[in-house]
Amino acid sequence: MLIKIRPDQIDIPLASEITPQEVYASRRAFMGKVAAGAIAGSGLLGAGSAFAQSATARKLPAKLNSAYAVMDKPTAYQDATTYNNYYEFGTDKADPARTAGTLKTAPWTVSIEGEVKKPFTLDLDALMKLAPLEERIYRLRCVEGWSMVIPWIGYSLSALIKKAEPTGNAKYIEFVTLADKKQMPGLSDPILQWPYTEGLRMDEANHPLTLLTMGMYGEVLPNQNGAPVRVIVPWKYGFKSAKSIVRIRFVKDQPKTAWNMYAAQEYGFYSNVNPNVDHPRWSQASERRIGEDGFFARKRKTLMFNGYNDVAGLYTGMDLKKYF
Ligand SMILES: Nc1nc2c(c(=O)[nH]1)N[C@H]1C(S)=C(S)[C@@H](COP(=O)(O)O)O[C@H]1N2
Ligand SMILES: [Mo]
């Protein structure tokens, strides 16, 4: 018999309270049970996503990549789509859900520029077909001290980098996002220098965890979450995960980034999730999971690299207090 089981009904430990090794082991045990039929028909596997979605958005079929799925309970779709940072659409958490309806996501192109064999432009359709879409369940932690767990859909950015054929001079990658006053009411507020830009070192960009993201919860991205294409870098603070990307530039020198230009002493280039290095205004030692932890609940511990220990090797020999 097939039993319908929602992810939030599966009894799993809080991943933030156990070690990443245990997370991995328990996920393997979980997947083992699925394979054995004990959790058959959960919908967690296969082409469709099991997660609650909107009634109108376009479906985006993708296979769950269980190697890249944390055990934590996914955040409710309602929370993930109404509590957003997307300053082009206002600075209040509720603003983007209200105002991002004016974002025109089709037609859309992403141009690949800079230190590459030959610059080119891809439309969204071509971008979607570049590599098989995967569903991955990642934690996203904002430097403000809250976190979510979201089933994203996309593929490793490395697939696009390979296609771009970067030259030997390409040491960093810069993401330039849309800045259009007609579509984005927040641009009249000069709080950040528009367009919002972000960047990664080439080895960070090529790490398989770095996800070029076109969807979430089984569907195309809602506008407020960065439609039609964004990046998700799960071991870094949320602001590194730039939304609504229009240009990807391969560059020799470390690119300027929007938040670093806003306040360099608060927002470094690297911005790895690090419980040992506090932001001047917020502790980074703990966090509140949106939709789960009330304001009076004991906060959960923030994990080094947000629990993604695989990336530690990228920073061997670097003083992460200096390169925060
Ligand atoms: N273009 C753009 N991208 C952005 C932002 C933004 O203001 N503009 N905010 C960042 C911040 S601070 C966070 S925490 C995440 C939030 O992503 P989410 O709304 O999908 O959870 O998006 C990041 N990407
Ligand atoms: Mo953030």
Side-chain angles (χ1 to χ4, degrees):
M1 190 183 96
L2 297 181
I3 303 160
K4 277 251 183 253
I5 231 180
R6 293 200 321 264
D8 60 351
Q9 293 170 323
I10 298 167
D11 187 22
I12 50 174
L14 274 183
S16 55
E17 297 189 335
I18 55 181
T19 68
Q21 283 72 22
E22 284 171 307
V23 173
Y24 184 68
S26 59
R27 168 136 305 256
R28 278 186 47 147
F30 170 67
M31 299 320 280
K33 273 189 214 158
V34 173
I39 313 178
S42 70
L44 273 171
L45 300 169
S49 171
F51 304 105
Q53 307 140 42
S54 97
T56 52
R58 189 157 63 83
K59 298 273 175 281
L60 195 61
K63 214 172 162 163
L64 178 71
N65 181 341
S66 58
Y68 289 120
V70 293
M71 293 297 292
D72 311 31
K73 177 175 129 182
T75 298
Y77 179 87
Q78 176 67 17
D79 289 329
T81 54
T82 57
Y83 190 90
N84 301 103
N85 276 339
Y86 195 168
Y87 277 29
E88 290 88 329
F89 291 101
T91 55
D92 195 88
K93 293 287 177 288
D95 285 343
R98 272 194 307 106
T99 66
T102 49
L103 175 65
K104 195 168 167 263
T105 58
W108 191 277
T109 56
V110 177
S111 56
I112 312 299
E113 303 171 4
E115 293 288 347
V116 290
K117 195 170 172 194
K118 189 169 177 279
F120 58 95
T121 298
L122 290 173
D123 65 18
L124 199 64
D125 194 49
L127 204 65
M128 292 258 197
K129 288 179 179 145
L130 195 78
L133 296 177
E134 295 175 8
E135 179 168 67
R136 299 184 182 184
I137 308 172
Y138 281 170
R139 303 188 191 97
L140 187 76
R141 189 198 188 280
C142 180
V143 72
E144 295 164 344
W146 50 266
S147 62
M148 296 195 199
V149 176
I150 295 183
W152 301 107
I153 298 166
Y155 52 77
S156 292
L157 178 66
S158 61
L160 178 59
I161 295 174
K162 195 167 163 218
K163 187 178 164 64
E165 297 187 78
T167 71
N169 288 330
K171 301 284 186 250
Y172 294 88
I173 193 166
E174 181 187 33
F175 305 99
V176 183
T177 73
L178 184 72
D180 181 356
K181 276 202 162 136
K182 294 195 292 293
Q183 304 180 48
M184 300 170 139
L187 294 198
S188 58
D189 185 346
I191 179 164
L192 295 176
Q193 288 182 42
W194 315 112
Y196 187 105
T197 58
E198 258 307 335
L200 296 170
R201 211 173 56 194
M202 198 52 64
D203 58 346
E204 298 177 317
N206 262 318
H207 193 282
L209 276 167
T210 303
L211 191 70
L212 192 70
T213 306
M214 278 73 81
M216 60 191 248
Y217 297 84
E219 300 169 348
V220 298
L221 285 173
N223 290 356
Q224 60 269 37
N225 293 88
V229 57
R230 69 180 299 181
V231 71
I232 296 291
V233 194
W235 72 94
K236 292 178 180 279
Y237 293 118
F239 61 88
K240 298 296 288 182
S241 294
K243 295 177 169 178
S244 308
I245 294 169
V246 291
R247 287 204 287 156
I248 297 180
R249 297 182 57 226
F250 292 78
V251 293
K252 240 189 288 191
D253 302 314
Q254 184 176 298
K256 290 184 170 163
T257 65
W259 283 101
N260 185 251
M261 287 188 279
Y262 169 80
Q265 69 286 1
E266 297 192 18
Y267 307 98
F269 176 81
Y270 286 94
S271 291
N272 293 312
V273 173
N274 188 341
N276 308 314
V277 179
D278 282 336
H279 179 278
R281 288 183 283 140
W282 304 294
S283 163
Q284 302 302 326
S286 62
E287 67 199 56
R288 196 169 60 83
R289 187 63 50 83
I290 297 298
E292 290 180 55
D293 304 337
F295 276 101
F296 302 107
R298 181 174 63 93
K299 285 196 169 185
R300 59 186 79 202
K301 275 188 184 150
T302 288
L303 301 172
M304 187 67 205
F305 299 124
N306 211 12
Y308 297 95
N309 269 352
D310 276 13
V311 302
L314 296 172
Y315 309 105
T316 310
M318 272 178 82
D319 178 357
L320 296 179
K321 284 201 162 72
K322 185 174 172 206
Y323 298 102
F324 64 89

